[in-house]
């Protein structure tokens, strides 16, 4: 007489384990497929503005020369702010922009990776040497924002910050309208 037992026959257990090993293998294959497809996709379509620039020649010519830094009002009324992030300061130290204006921040670094963040807004980007970080925004209200570097960039990192002053559009035109590049440094 066979012994009475609740355990299933050995071949049923084998089948169940084999089925589960196929399921787990399938899940692992799916995860790898997602990782590979996502990598290929993002490599082919970078998530943000990728504009290369020679980090060693910024001071020699072009928009990031010292005299070209600051806020430029374009003929269509929009503003472009050219900013350098370097160990351990932003140039200009005080950025002034008008309210109710399309604003493009263009920021680059001559040395290491820095962070570009305007507190209280969604303006937030890494600044990588060799590339121009471009952020588009608009300010509805006048006010002042701190602009700290938020990527650790060595010993002076915590002292690296600037200010963004948002002034009424008419006041901006009155105070800075005559300047080729506006900034609130020395005010
Ligand atoms: Cu620059 Cu931290």
């Amino acid at each position: 007489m066979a012994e009475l037992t609740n355990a299933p026959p050995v071949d049923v257990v084998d089948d169940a384990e084999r089925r589960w090993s196929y399921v787990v293998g399938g899940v692992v294959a799916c995860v790898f497929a997602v990782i590979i497809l996502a990598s290929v996709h993002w490599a082919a379509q970078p998530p943000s503005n990728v504009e290369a620039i020679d980090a060693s020649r910024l001071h020699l010519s072009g928009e990031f020369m010292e005299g070209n830094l600051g806020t430029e009002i374009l003929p269509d009324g929009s503003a472009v702010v050219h900013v350098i992030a370097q160990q351990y300061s932003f140039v200009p130290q005080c950025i002034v922009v008008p309210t109710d204006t399309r604003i493009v921040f263009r920021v680059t670094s001559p040395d290491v990776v820095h962070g570009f963040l305007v507190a209280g807004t969604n303006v937030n980007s890494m600044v990588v040497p060799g590339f121009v970080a471009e952020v588009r925004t608009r300010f509805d209200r006048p006010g002042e924002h701190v602009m700290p570097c938020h990527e650790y960039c060595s010993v002076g990192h915590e002292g690296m910050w600037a200010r963004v002053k948002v002034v009424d559009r008419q006041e901006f035109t009155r105070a800075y309208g005559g300047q080729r590049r506006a900034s609130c440094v020395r005010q």
Side-chain angles (χ1 to χ4, degrees):
M1 198 171 84
E3 250 180 80
L4 285 176
T5 168
N6 287 331
V10 169
D11 55 340
V12 172
V13 174
D14 273 356
D15 279 352
E17 285 193 353
R18 197 171 303 114
R19 274 199 303 277
W20 276 111
S21 74
Y22 293 152
V23 170
V24 171
V27 168
V28 170
C30 283
V31 168
F32 272 103
V34 166
I35 291 171
I36 290 165
L37 286 175
S39 308
V40 169
H41 173 76
W42 288 116
Q45 298 179 25
S48 66
N49 183 55
V50 172
E51 185 183 329
I53 191 166
D54 184 348
S56 66
R57 306 181 68 80
L58 299 177
H59 58 298
L60 298 178
S61 64
E63 66 178 305
F64 296 106
M65 264 171 70
E66 194 176 358
N68 287 338
L69 298 175
T71 305
E72 176 184 10
I73 301 295
L74 299 182
D76 68 1
S78 68
V80 184
V81 189
H82 313 270
V83 183
I84 290 266
Q86 63 190 10
Q87 288 171 320
Y88 298 99
S89 63
F90 291 95
V91 186
Q93 272 287 305
C94 183
I95 291 167
V96 65
V97 290
T99 53
D100 299 318
T101 303
R102 275 186 296 124
I103 295 168
V104 179
F105 285 101
R106 287 175 56 78
V107 192
T108 193
S109 161
D111 42 47
V112 299
V113 174
H114 297 279
F116 171 60
L117 176 148
V118 180
T121 74
N122 64 354
V123 173
N124 185 340
S125 178
M126 274 170 83
V127 183
V128 181
F131 296 92
V132 178
E134 197 173 276
V135 181
R136 289 157 193 278
T137 191
R138 169 187 282 269
F139 295 93
D140 298 329
R141 286 188 301 277
E144 221 172 286
H145 303 263
V146 289
M147 195 183 105
C149 174
H150 65 80
E151 293 282 343
Y152 182 73
C153 52
S154 192
V155 291
H157 164 70
E158 71 280 355
M160 180 172 173
W161 63 280
R163 278 183 300 149
V164 177
K165 204 166 135 184
V166 184
V167 299
D168 181 75
R169 175 88 207 197
Q170 276 154 23
E171 188 191 330
F172 181 93
T173 307
R174 199 165 50 241
Y176 305 98
Q179 300 179 14
R180 205 174 66 82
R181 295 289 189 274
S183 83
C184 43
V185 174
R186 273 180 258 110
Q187 283 194 353

